[in-house]
Coordinates of all heavy atoms in Angstrom, one line a residue:
M1 N 386.9 107.2 155.6 CA 387.2 106.1 156.6 C 388.1 105.1 155.8 O 387.9 104.8 154.7 CB 385.9 105.5 157.0 CG 386.1 104.5 158.2 SD 386.6 105.4 159.7 CE 387.0 104.0 160.8
N2 N 389.2 104.8 156.5 CA 390.1 103.8 155.9 C 389.5 102.4 156.1 O 389.3 101.9 157.2 CB 391.4 103.9 156.7 CG 392.5 102.9 156.1 OD1 392.2 102.1 155.2 ND2 393.7 103.0 156.6
N3 N 389.2 101.7 155.0 CA 388.6 100.4 155.0 C 389.7 99.3 155.0 O 389.3 98.1 154.9 CB 387.6 100.2 153.9 CG 386.4 101.1 154.1 OD1 385.9 101.3 155.2 ND2 386.0 101.8 153.0
K4 N 390.9 99.6 155.0 CA 392.0 98.6 154.9 C 392.6 98.4 156.3 O 393.8 98.3 156.4 CB 393.0 99.0 153.9 CG 392.4 99.0 152.5 CD 393.5 99.3 151.4 CE 392.9 99.2 150.0 NZ 393.9 99.6 149.0
L5 N 391.8 98.3 157.3 CA 392.3 98.1 158.6 C 392.8 96.6 158.8 O 392.1 95.7 158.3 CB 391.3 98.4 159.7 CG 390.7 99.8 159.7 CD1 389.7 99.9 160.7 CD2 391.8 100.8 159.8
N6 N 393.9 96.4 159.4 CA 394.3 95.0 159.8 C 393.5 94.6 161.0 O 392.9 95.4 161.7 CB 395.8 94.9 159.8 CG 396.4 95.6 161.0 OD1 395.8 95.8 162.0 ND2 397.6 96.1 160.8
A7 N 393.7 93.3 161.4 CA 393.0 92.8 162.5 C 393.3 93.5 163.8 O 392.4 93.7 164.6 CB 393.3 91.3 162.6
S8 N 394.6 93.8 164.0 CA 395.0 94.5 165.2 C 394.4 95.9 165.3 O 393.9 96.3 166.4 CB 396.5 94.6 165.2 OG 397.0 95.5 166.2
E9 N 394.3 96.6 164.2 CA 393.7 97.9 164.2 C 392.2 97.8 164.4 O 391.7 98.7 165.1 CB 394.0 98.6 162.8 CG 395.4 99.0 162.6 CD 395.8 99.5 161.2 OE1 395.1 99.0 160.3 OE2 396.8 100.2 161.1
R10 N 391.6 96.9 163.8 CA 390.1 96.7 164.1 C 389.9 96.4 165.6 O 388.9 97.0 166.1 CB 389.6 95.6 163.2 CG 389.2 96.0 161.8 CD 388.3 95.0 161.1 NE 388.9 93.7 161.0 CZ 389.7 93.3 160.1 NH1 390.0 94.1 159.1 NH2 390.2 92.1 160.1
K11 N 390.7 95.6 166.1 CA 390.5 95.2 167.6 C 390.7 96.5 168.4 O 390.0 96.7 169.4 CB 391.5 94.1 167.9 CG 391.3 93.6 169.4 CD 392.3 92.5 169.7 CE 392.3 92.1 171.1 NZ 393.3 91.1 171.4
H12 N 391.7 97.3 168.1 CA 392.0 98.5 168.8 C 390.8 99.4 168.8 O 390.4 100.0 169.8 CB 393.3 99.1 168.3 CG 393.6 100.4 169.0 ND1 394.1 100.5 170.3 CD2 393.4 101.7 168.7 CE1 394.2 101.7 170.7 NE2 393.8 102.5 169.7
L13 N 390.3 99.6 167.6 CA 389.2 100.6 167.4 C 388.0 100.1 168.2 O 387.2 100.9 168.7 CB 388.9 100.8 165.9 CG 389.8 101.7 165.2 CD1 389.4 101.8 163.7 CD2 390.0 103.0 165.8
A14 N 387.8 98.8 168.2 CA 386.6 98.2 168.9 C 386.8 98.5 170.4 O 385.8 98.9 171.1 CB 386.5 96.7 168.7
R15 N 388.0 98.4 170.9 CA 388.2 98.7 172.3 C 388.0 100.2 172.6 O 387.4 100.6 173.6 CB 389.7 98.4 172.7 CG 389.9 96.9 172.8 CD 391.3 96.5 173.4 NE 391.3 96.9 174.8 CZ 392.4 97.3 175.4 NH1 393.6 97.3 174.8 NH2 392.4 97.6 176.7
V16 N 388.5 101.1 171.7 CA 388.3 102.5 171.9 C 386.8 102.8 171.9 O 386.3 103.6 172.8 CB 388.9 103.3 170.7 CG1 388.5 104.8 170.7 CG2 390.5 103.2 170.8
K17 N 386.0 102.2 171.0 CA 384.6 102.5 171.0 C 383.8 101.9 172.2 O 382.7 102.3 172.5 CB 384.0 101.9 169.7 CG 384.5 102.7 168.5 CD 384.0 102.0 167.2 CE 384.5 102.8 166.0 NZ 384.2 102.1 164.7
S18 N 384.5 101.0 172.9 CA 383.8 100.4 174.1 C 384.1 101.3 175.4 O 383.6 100.9 176.4 CB 384.3 99.0 174.3 OG 385.7 99.0 174.9
L19 N 384.8 102.4 175.2 CA 385.2 103.3 176.3 C 384.1 104.4 176.5 O 383.5 104.7 175.5 CB 386.5 103.9 176.1 CG 387.7 103.0 176.1 CD1 389.0 103.8 175.8 CD2 387.9 102.2 177.4
P20 N 384.0 105.0 177.7 CA 383.2 106.2 177.8 C 383.8 107.3 177.0 O 385.0 107.2 176.6 CB 383.2 106.5 179.3 CG 383.8 105.3 179.9 CD 384.6 104.6 178.9
C21 N 383.0 108.4 176.8 CA 383.5 109.6 176.1 C 384.7 110.1 176.9 O 384.6 110.3 178.1 CB 382.4 110.6 176.0 SG 383.0 112.1 175.3
S22 N 385.8 110.4 176.2 CA 387.0 111.0 176.8 C 386.8 112.4 177.3 O 387.7 112.9 178.0 CB 388.2 110.8 175.9 OG 388.4 109.5 175.6
V23 N 385.8 113.1 176.8 CA 385.6 114.5 177.2 C 384.6 114.6 178.3 O 384.8 115.2 179.3 CB 385.2 115.3 176.0 CG1 384.8 116.8 176.4 CG2 386.3 115.4 175.0
C24 N 383.4 114.0 178.1 CA 382.3 114.2 179.1 C 381.9 113.0 179.8 O 381.0 113.0 180.6 CB 381.0 114.8 178.3 SG 380.1 113.6 177.4
N25 N 382.6 111.9 179.6 CA 382.3 110.6 180.3 C 381.0 110.0 180.0 O 380.5 109.1 180.8 CB 382.5 110.8 181.8 CG 383.9 111.1 182.2 OD1 384.9 110.5 181.7 ND2 384.1 112.1 183.0
A26 N 380.3 110.4 178.9 CA 379.1 109.7 178.5 C 379.4 108.2 178.3 O 380.4 107.8 177.9 CB 378.5 110.3 177.3
P27 N 378.4 107.3 178.7 CA 378.7 105.9 178.7 C 378.8 105.4 177.2 O 378.3 106.0 176.3 CB 377.4 105.3 179.3 CG 376.4 106.3 179.2 CD 377.1 107.6 179.3
P28 N 379.6 104.3 177.1 CA 379.8 103.7 175.7 C 378.5 103.2 175.2 O 377.5 103.0 176.0 CB 380.8 102.6 176.0 CG 380.7 102.3 177.4 CD 380.3 103.6 178.1
P29 N 378.4 102.8 173.9 CA 379.5 102.9 172.9 C 379.8 104.3 172.5 O 378.9 105.2 172.4 CB 378.9 102.1 171.7 CG 377.5 102.2 171.8 CD 377.1 102.3 173.3
S30 N 381.1 104.6 172.3 CA 381.5 105.8 171.7 C 381.9 105.7 170.3 O 381.9 104.6 169.8 CB 382.8 106.3 172.5 OG 382.5 106.6 173.9
S31 N 382.2 106.8 169.6 CA 382.7 106.7 168.3 C 384.2 107.0 168.4 O 384.7 107.5 169.4 CB 382.1 107.7 167.3 OG 382.2 109.0 167.8
A32 N 385.0 106.7 167.4 CA 386.4 106.9 167.4 C 386.7 108.1 166.5 O 386.5 108.1 165.3 CB 387.1 105.7 166.8
H33 N 387.3 109.2 167.1 CA 387.7 110.3 166.4 C 389.2 110.2 166.1 O 390.0 109.9 167.0 CB 387.5 111.6 167.3 CG 388.3 112.8 166.7 ND1 387.9 113.4 165.5 CD2 389.3 113.5 167.2 CE1 388.8 114.4 165.3 NE2 389.6 114.5 166.3
H34 N 389.5 110.3 164.8 CA 390.9 110.2 164.3 C 391.6 111.5 164.3 O 391.2 112.4 163.6 CB 391.0 109.5 163.0 CG 390.6 108.1 163.0 ND1 389.3 107.7 163.1 CD2 391.3 107.0 163.0 CE1 389.2 106.3 163.1 NE2 390.5 105.9 163.1
I35 N 392.6 111.7 165.2 CA 393.4 112.9 165.2 C 394.1 113.1 163.8 O 394.0 114.2 163.2 CB 394.4 112.9 166.3 CG1 393.6 113.0 167.7 CG2 395.3 114.1 166.2 CD1 394.5 112.9 168.9
N36 N 394.7 112.0 163.4 CA 395.3 112.0 162.0 C 394.6 110.9 161.2 O 394.6 109.7 161.7 CB 396.8 111.7 162.1 CG 397.6 112.9 162.5 OD1 397.1 114.1 162.5 ND2 398.8 112.7 162.9
Q37 N 394.1 111.2 160.1 CA 393.4 110.2 159.3 C 394.3 109.1 159.0 O 395.4 109.3 158.6 CB 392.8 110.9 158.0 CG 391.6 111.8 158.3 CD 390.5 111.1 158.9 OE1 390.1 109.9 158.6 NE2 389.9 111.7 159.9
G38 N 393.8 107.9 159.1 CA 394.5 106.7 158.8 C 395.5 106.2 159.9 O 396.1 105.2 159.8
Q39 N 395.5 106.9 161.0 CA 396.4 106.5 162.2 C 395.4 106.0 163.3 O 394.9 106.8 164.0 CB 397.3 107.6 162.6 CG 398.3 108.0 161.5 CD 399.3 109.1 162.0 OE1 399.2 109.5 163.1 NE2 400.2 109.4 161.1
Q40 N 395.3 104.7 163.3 CA 394.3 104.1 164.2 C 394.6 104.3 165.7 O 393.8 104.3 166.6 CB 394.0 102.7 163.9 CG 393.8 102.4 162.4 CD 392.7 103.3 161.8 OE1 391.7 103.5 162.5 NE2 392.9 103.8 160.6
Y41 N 395.9 104.3 166.0 CA 396.3 104.2 167.4 C 396.3 105.5 168.1 O 396.6 105.6 169.3 CB 397.7 103.5 167.5 CG 397.6 102.0 167.1 CD1 398.1 101.7 165.8 CD2 396.9 101.1 167.8 CE1 398.0 100.4 165.4 CE2 396.8 99.8 167.4 CZ 397.3 99.4 166.1 OH 397.2 98.2 165.7
T42 N 396.0 106.6 167.4 CA 395.7 107.9 168.1 C 394.3 108.2 168.0 O 393.9 109.4 168.1 CB 396.6 109.0 167.5 OG1 396.5 109.0 166.1 CG2 398.1 108.8 167.9
A43 N 393.4 107.2 167.8 CA 392.0 107.5 167.8 C 391.5 107.8 169.2 O 391.9 107.2 170.2 CB 391.2 106.3 167.2
V44 N 390.5 108.7 169.3 CA 390.0 109.1 170.6 C 388.5 108.7 170.8 O 387.7 108.8 169.8 CB 390.1 110.7 170.8 CG1 389.5 111.1 172.1 CG2 391.5 111.1 170.6
A45 N 388.2 108.2 172.0 CA 386.8 107.7 172.2 C 385.9 109.0 172.5 O 386.2 109.7 173.5 CB 386.7 106.8 173.4
L46 N 384.9 109.2 171.7 CA 384.0 110.4 172.0 C 382.6 110.0 171.8 O 382.2 109.2 170.9 CB 384.4 111.5 170.9 CG 385.7 112.1 171.0 CD1 385.9 113.1 169.9 CD2 385.9 112.8 172.4
C47 N 381.7 110.6 172.6 CA 380.3 110.5 172.3 C 379.9 111.3 171.1 O 380.7 112.1 170.6 CB 379.5 110.9 173.6 SG 379.5 112.7 173.8
Y48 N 378.6 111.1 170.7 CA 378.2 111.8 169.4 C 378.3 113.4 169.6 O 378.8 114.1 168.8 CB 376.8 111.5 169.1 CG 376.3 112.3 167.9 CD1 376.6 111.8 166.6 CD2 375.6 113.4 168.0 CE1 376.3 112.6 165.5 CE2 375.2 114.2 166.9 CZ 375.6 113.7 165.6 OH 375.2 114.5 164.5
D49 N 377.8 113.9 170.8 CA 377.8 115.3 171.0 C 379.2 115.9 171.0 O 379.5 116.9 170.3 CB 377.2 115.7 172.3 CG 375.6 115.7 172.2 OD1 375.1 115.7 171.1 OD2 375.0 115.8 173.3
C50 N 380.1 115.3 171.7 CA 381.5 115.8 171.8 C 382.3 115.6 170.5 O 383.3 116.3 170.3 CB 382.3 115.2 173.0 SG 381.6 115.6 174.6
H51 N 381.8 114.7 169.6 CA 382.5 114.4 168.4 C 381.9 115.2 167.2 O 382.5 116.2 166.7 CB 382.4 112.9 168.1 CG 383.3 112.5 166.9 ND1 383.1 111.3 166.3 CD2 384.3 113.1 166.3 CE1 384.0 111.2 165.3 NE2 384.7 112.3 165.3
Q52 N 380.6 114.9 166.9 CA 380.0 115.4 165.7 C 379.0 116.5 166.0 O 378.5 117.1 165.0 CB 379.2 114.3 164.9 CG 380.0 113.0 164.7 CD 381.0 113.1 163.5 OE1 381.2 114.2 162.9 NE2 381.5 112.0 163.1
G53 N 378.7 116.8 167.3 CA 377.7 117.8 167.6 C 378.0 119.1 167.0 O 379.2 119.6 167.2
S54 N 377.1 119.8 166.4 CA 377.4 121.1 165.7 C 377.8 122.2 166.7 O 378.5 123.1 166.4 CB 376.2 121.5 164.9 OG 375.1 121.7 165.7
F55 N 377.2 122.1 167.9 CA 377.5 123.1 169.0 C 378.7 122.6 169.9 O 379.7 123.3 170.1 CB 376.3 123.4 169.8 CG 376.4 124.5 170.8 CD1 376.6 125.8 170.3 CD2 376.4 124.2 172.1 CE1 376.7 126.8 171.3 CE2 376.6 125.3 173.0 CZ 376.7 126.6 172.6
M56 N 378.5 121.4 170.4 CA 379.5 120.9 171.4 C 380.7 120.2 170.8 O 381.8 120.2 171.4 CB 378.8 119.8 172.3 CG 377.6 120.3 173.1 SD 378.0 121.7 174.2 CE 378.3 120.7 175.7
G57 N 380.6 119.7 169.6 CA 381.5 118.7 169.1 C 382.8 119.3 168.5 O 382.9 120.5 168.1
W58 N 383.8 118.4 168.4 CA 385.1 118.8 167.9 C 384.9 119.3 166.4 O 385.6 120.2 166.0 CB 386.1 117.6 167.9 CG 387.4 118.0 167.4 CD1 387.9 117.8 166.1 CD2 388.4 118.7 168.0 NE1 389.1 118.3 166.0 CE2 389.5 118.9 167.1 CE3 388.5 119.2 169.3 CZ2 390.7 119.6 167.5 CZ3 389.7 119.9 169.7 CH2 390.8 120.1 168.8
H59 N 384.0 118.6 165.7 CA 383.8 119.0 164.3 C 382.8 120.1 164.2 O 382.3 120.4 163.1 CB 383.4 117.7 163.5 CG 384.4 116.7 163.5 ND1 385.6 116.8 162.8 CD2 384.5 115.4 164.1 CE1 386.4 115.7 163.0 NE2 385.7 114.9 163.7
G60 N 382.4 120.7 165.3 CA 381.5 121.8 165.3 C 382.2 123.0 166.0 O 383.3 123.3 165.7
Q61 N 381.4 123.6 167.0 CA 382.0 124.8 167.7 C 382.8 124.4 168.9 O 383.3 125.3 169.5 CB 380.8 125.7 168.1 CG 380.0 126.2 167.0 CD 378.9 127.2 167.4 OE1 379.1 127.9 168.4 NE2 377.8 127.1 166.8
K62 N 383.0 123.1 169.2 CA 383.9 122.6 170.2 C 383.6 123.2 171.6 O 384.4 123.3 172.4 CB 385.4 123.0 169.9 CG 385.9 122.5 168.6 CD 387.4 122.9 168.4 CE 388.1 122.2 167.3 NZ 387.6 122.6 165.9
R63 N 382.3 123.4 171.9 CA 381.9 124.0 173.1 C 382.2 123.1 174.3 O 382.7 123.5 175.4 CB 380.5 124.5 173.2 CG 380.2 125.6 172.2 CD 381.0 126.8 172.4 NE 380.8 127.9 171.5 CZ 380.0 128.9 171.6 NH1 379.3 129.0 172.7 NH2 379.8 129.8 170.6
A64 N 381.9 121.8 174.1 CA 382.2 120.9 175.2 C 383.7 120.8 175.6 O 384.1 120.6 176.7 CB 381.7 119.5 174.9
W65 N 384.5 121.0 174.6 CA 385.9 121.0 174.7 C 386.4 122.3 175.4 O 387.3 122.2 176.3 CB 386.6 120.8 173.4 CG 386.3 119.5 172.7 CD1 385.0 119.2 172.1 CD2 387.1 118.4 172.4 NE1 385.1 118.0 171.6 CE2 386.3 117.5 171.8 CE3 388.4 118.1 172.8 CZ2 386.9 116.2 171.4 CZ3 389.0 116.9 172.4 CH2 388.2 116.0 171.7
A66 N 385.8 123.4 175.0 CA 386.3 124.7 175.5 C 385.9 124.8 177.0 O 386.7 125.3 177.8 CB 385.6 125.8 174.7
I67 N 384.7 124.3 177.4 CA 384.3 124.3 178.7 C 385.3 123.6 179.6 O 385.6 124.1 180.7 CB 382.9 123.7 178.9 CG1 381.8 124.5 178.2 CG2 382.5 123.4 180.4 CD1 380.5 123.8 178.0
R68 N 385.8 122.5 179.2 CA 386.7 121.7 180.0 C 388.2 122.0 179.7 O 389.1 121.3 180.2 CB 386.5 120.2 179.7 CG 385.1 119.8 180.2 CD 384.8 118.3 179.7 NE 383.5 117.9 180.2 CZ 382.3 118.3 179.6 NH1 382.3 119.0 178.5 NH2 381.1 117.9 180.1
K69 N 388.4 123.0 178.8 CA 389.8 123.4 178.4 C 390.6 122.2 177.9 O 391.8 121.9 178.3 CB 390.5 124.0 179.6 CG 389.9 125.4 180.0 CD 390.7 126.0 181.1 CE 390.3 127.5 181.4 NZ 388.9 127.6 181.6
M70 N 390.0 121.4 177.0 CA 390.6 120.2 176.5 C 390.9 120.4 175.0 O 390.1 121.0 174.3 CB 389.7 119.0 176.7 CG 389.6 118.5 178.1 SD 388.5 117.1 178.3 CE 389.6 115.8 177.7
D71 N 391.9 119.7 174.5 CA 392.2 119.6 173.1 C 392.3 118.1 172.8 O 392.0 117.3 173.6 CB 393.4 120.4 172.7 CG 394.7 119.9 173.3 OD1 394.7 118.8 173.8 OD2 395.7 120.7 173.3
E72 N 392.6 117.8 171.5 CA 392.7 116.4 171.1 C 393.6 115.6 171.9 O 393.4 114.4 172.2 CB 393.0 116.3 169.6 CG 391.9 116.8 168.7 CD 392.4 116.7 167.2 OE1 393.5 117.4 167.0 OE2 391.7 116.1 166.4
L73 N 394.8 116.1 172.3 CA 395.8 115.4 173.0 C 395.3 115.1 174.4 O 395.6 114.1 175.0 CB 397.1 116.0 173.0 CG 397.9 115.9 171.7 CD1 399.3 116.6 171.8 CD2 398.1 114.5 171.2
D74 N 394.6 116.1 175.0 CA 394.1 115.9 176.4 C 393.1 114.7 176.3 O 393.1 113.8 177.2 CB 393.3 117.1 176.9 CG 394.3 118.3 177.1 OD1 395.4 118.1 177.7 OD2 393.9 119.4 176.7
A75 N 392.3 114.7 175.3 CA 391.3 113.6 175.2 C 392.0 112.3 174.9 O 391.6 111.2 175.4 CB 390.2 113.9 174.1
L76 N 393.0 112.3 174.0 CA 393.7 111.1 173.7 C 394.4 110.5 175.0 O 394.4 109.3 175.2 CB 394.8 111.3 172.7 CG 395.7 110.2 172.3 CD1 394.9 109.0 171.7 CD2 396.8 110.6 171.3
N77 N 394.9 111.4 175.9 CA 395.5 110.9 177.1 C 394.5 110.2 177.9 O 394.8 109.1 178.5 CB 396.0 112.2 177.9 CG 396.8 111.8 179.1 OD1 397.8 111.2 179.0 ND2 396.3 112.2 180.3
V78 N 393.2 110.6 178.0 CA 392.2 109.9 178.7 C 391.9 108.6 178.1 O 391.8 107.6 178.8 CB 390.9 110.8 178.8 CG1 389.8 110.0 179.5 CG2 391.2 112.1 179.6
T79 N 391.8 108.6 176.8 CA 391.5 107.3 176.0 C 392.6 106.3 176.3 O 392.3 105.1 176.6 CB 391.4 107.6 174.5 OG1 390.3 108.4 174.3 CG2 391.3 106.3 173.8
I80 N 393.8 106.7 176.2 CA 395.0 105.8 176.4 C 395.0 105.3 177.9 O 395.2 104.1 178.1 CB 396.3 106.4 176.0 CG1 396.3 106.6 174.5 CG2 397.5 105.6 176.5 CD1 397.5 107.4 174.1
Q81 N 394.7 106.2 178.8 CA 394.7 105.7 180.2 C 393.7 104.7 180.4 O 393.9 103.6 181.1 CB 394.5 106.9 181.2 CG 394.4 106.4 182.6 CD 394.4 107.6 183.6 OE1 394.3 108.7 183.2 NE2 394.4 107.2 184.9
R82 N 392.5 104.9 179.8 CA 391.4 103.9 180.0 C 391.7 102.6 179.3 O 391.4 101.5 179.8 CB 390.1 104.5 179.5 CG 389.6 105.5 180.5 CD 388.4 106.3 180.0 NE 387.9 107.1 181.1 CZ 387.0 108.1 180.9 NH1 386.6 108.4 179.7 NH2 386.6 108.8 182.0
L83 N 392.4 102.7 178.1 CA 392.8 101.4 177.4 C 393.7 100.6 178.3 O 393.6 99.4 178.3 CB 393.4 101.8 176.1 CG 392.4 102.2 175.0 CD1 393.3 102.8 173.8 CD2 391.5 101.1 174.5
L84 N 394.7 101.3 178.9 CA 395.7 100.6 179.7 C 395.3 100.2 181.0 O 396.0 99.4 181.7 CB 397.0 101.5 179.8 CG 397.6 101.8 178.4 CD1 398.8 102.7 178.7 CD2 398.0 100.6 177.7
T85 N 394.1 100.6 181.5 CA 393.6 100.2 182.8 C 392.2 99.5 182.6 O 391.4 99.5 183.4 CB 393.4 101.4 183.7 OG1 392.6 102.4 183.0 CG2 394.7 102.0 184.1
D86 N 392.0 98.9 181.4 CA 390.9 98.1 181.1 C 389.6 98.8 181.3 O 388.5 98.3 181.7 CB 390.8 96.8 182.0 CG 392.0 95.9 181.6 OD1 392.3 95.8 180.4 OD2 392.5 95.2 182.5
G87 N 389.6 100.1 181.0 CA 388.3 100.9 180.9 C 387.7 101.3 182.3 O 386.6 101.7 182.3
M88 N 388.5 101.0 183.3 CA 388.0 101.4 184.6 C 387.8 102.9 184.7 O 388.6 103.7 184.1 CB 388.9 101.0 185.8 CG 388.8 99.5 186.1 SD 389.6 99.1 187.6 CE 391.3 99.5 187.2
P89 N 386.8 103.4 185.4 CA 386.7 104.9 185.6 C 388.0 105.4 186.2 O 388.6 104.7 187.1 CB 385.5 105.1 186.5 CG 384.7 103.8 186.3 CD 385.7 102.7 186.0
L90 N 388.4 106.6 185.9 CA 389.6 107.1 186.4 C 389.7 107.2 187.9 O 390.7 106.9 188.5 CB 389.9 108.6 185.8 CG 390.0 108.7 184.3 CD1 390.1 110.1 183.9 CD2 391.1 107.8 183.8
E91 N 388.5 107.4 188.5 CA 388.5 107.6 190.0 C 388.9 106.2 190.7 O 389.3 106.2 191.8 CB 387.1 108.0 190.5 CG 386.6 109.3 189.9 CD 386.2 109.2 188.4 OE1 385.7 108.1 188.0 OE2 386.4 110.2 187.7
E92 N 388.7 105.1 190.0 CA 388.9 103.8 190.6 C 390.3 103.3 190.4 O 390.7 102.2 190.7 CB 387.9 102.8 190.1 CG 386.5 103.1 190.5 CD 385.5 102.2 189.9 OE1 385.9 101.1 189.4 OE2 384.3 102.5 189.9
N93 N 391.2 104.2 189.8 CA 392.5 103.7 189.4 C 393.6 104.2 190.5 O 394.7 104.1 190.2 CB 392.9 104.3 188.1 CG 392.1 103.6 187.0 OD1 391.6 102.5 187.2 ND2 391.9 104.3 185.9
N94 N 393.1 104.5 191.6 CA 394.1 105.0 192.6 C 394.7 103.8 193.4 O 394.6 103.7 194.6 CB 393.4 105.9 193.6 CG 392.9 107.2 192.9 OD1 393.5 107.7 192.0 ND2 391.7 107.6 193.3
L95 N 395.3 102.9 192.6 CA 395.8 101.7 193.2 C 397.2 102.0 193.8 O 397.9 102.8 193.3 CB 395.9 100.6 192.2 CG 394.6 100.2 191.5 CD1 394.8 99.2 190.4 CD2 393.6 99.7 192.6
P96 N 397.6 101.3 194.9 CA 398.8 101.7 195.6 C 400.1 101.1 195.0 O 400.8 100.5 195.6 CB 398.5 101.1 197.0 CG 397.7 99.9 196.7 CD 396.8 100.3 195.6
F97 N 400.3 101.3 193.7 CA 401.5 100.9 193.1 C 401.8 101.8 191.9 O 401.0 102.6 191.5 CB 401.6 99.5 192.7 CG 400.5 99.0 191.8 CD1 400.4 99.3 190.4 CD2 399.4 98.3 192.4 CE1 399.4 98.9 189.6 CE2 398.4 97.9 191.6 CZ 398.3 98.2 190.2
Ligands
ZN1 ZN1 381.1 113.4 175.3
ZN2 ZN1 386.3 113.0 164.3

C-alpha cells in the first residue's frame, strides 16, 4: 500500500470506499482495489468477497467476476459512474438530460 497519498488522493479513495461493490452491489463500506499499484484514480470499489475472496474474488478464482462476465475495466466503469453521480444506484440515474 502506498502510504504517500496526498490529500486529494485520500479524499478520492474515501469516496470510492463509500460506494457499493462495483461487481455485486453489496452495500458500503467497500475496499479499494488498485488496478495499477500506486494509481489511486483507477481504484475500484469492491466488497470483501469480490475483492479478496478466495473463491469469488479478483485475487482468488474470480468466480463473482466470471458469473457477471466482468473484468477490472467493467468494474472501474461502474465505480466512476457512481462517483460522478454521487453514488446513486444506477437504476435511479435515468434522468432526462
Ligand atoms: Zn461484491
Ligand atoms: Zn485488489
Side-chain angles (χ1 to χ4, degrees):
M1 193 67 189
N2 181 355
N3 292 318
K4 293 183 178 175
L5 303 180
N6 65 35
S8 169
E9 289 169 336
R10 278 197 301 273
K11 183 178 176 186
H12 177 75
L13 284 182
R15 290 188 66 207
V16 168
K17 292 174 183 176
S18 76
L19 297 174
C21 176
S22 298
V23 174
C24 76
N25 296 314
S30 295
S31 61
H33 166 65
H34 289 78
I35 294 177
N36 285 342
Q37 287 303 316
Q39 296 186 357
Q40 310 307 322
Y41 296 104
T42 49
V44 177
L46 295 177
C47 71
Y48 177 83
D49 277 351
C50 293
H51 189 197
Q52 310 279 11
S54 60
F55 186 70
M56 300 299 268
W58 182 262
H59 298 291
Q61 296 183 38
K62 299 185 172 68
R63 294 303 176 95
W65 300 70
I67 290 166
R68 295 172 179 80
K69 296 183 166 56
M70 290 181 73
D71 62 17
E72 286 176 308
L73 284 182
D74 294 318
L76 177 62
N77 188 61
V78 174
T79 294
I80 291 172
Q81 178 172 4
R82 287 175 171 162
L83 285 170
L84 296 180
T85 54
D86 293 325
M88 284 192 296
L90 298 179
E91 300 75 33
E92 295 176 16
N93 290 335
N94 297 321
L95 301 174
F97 53 77

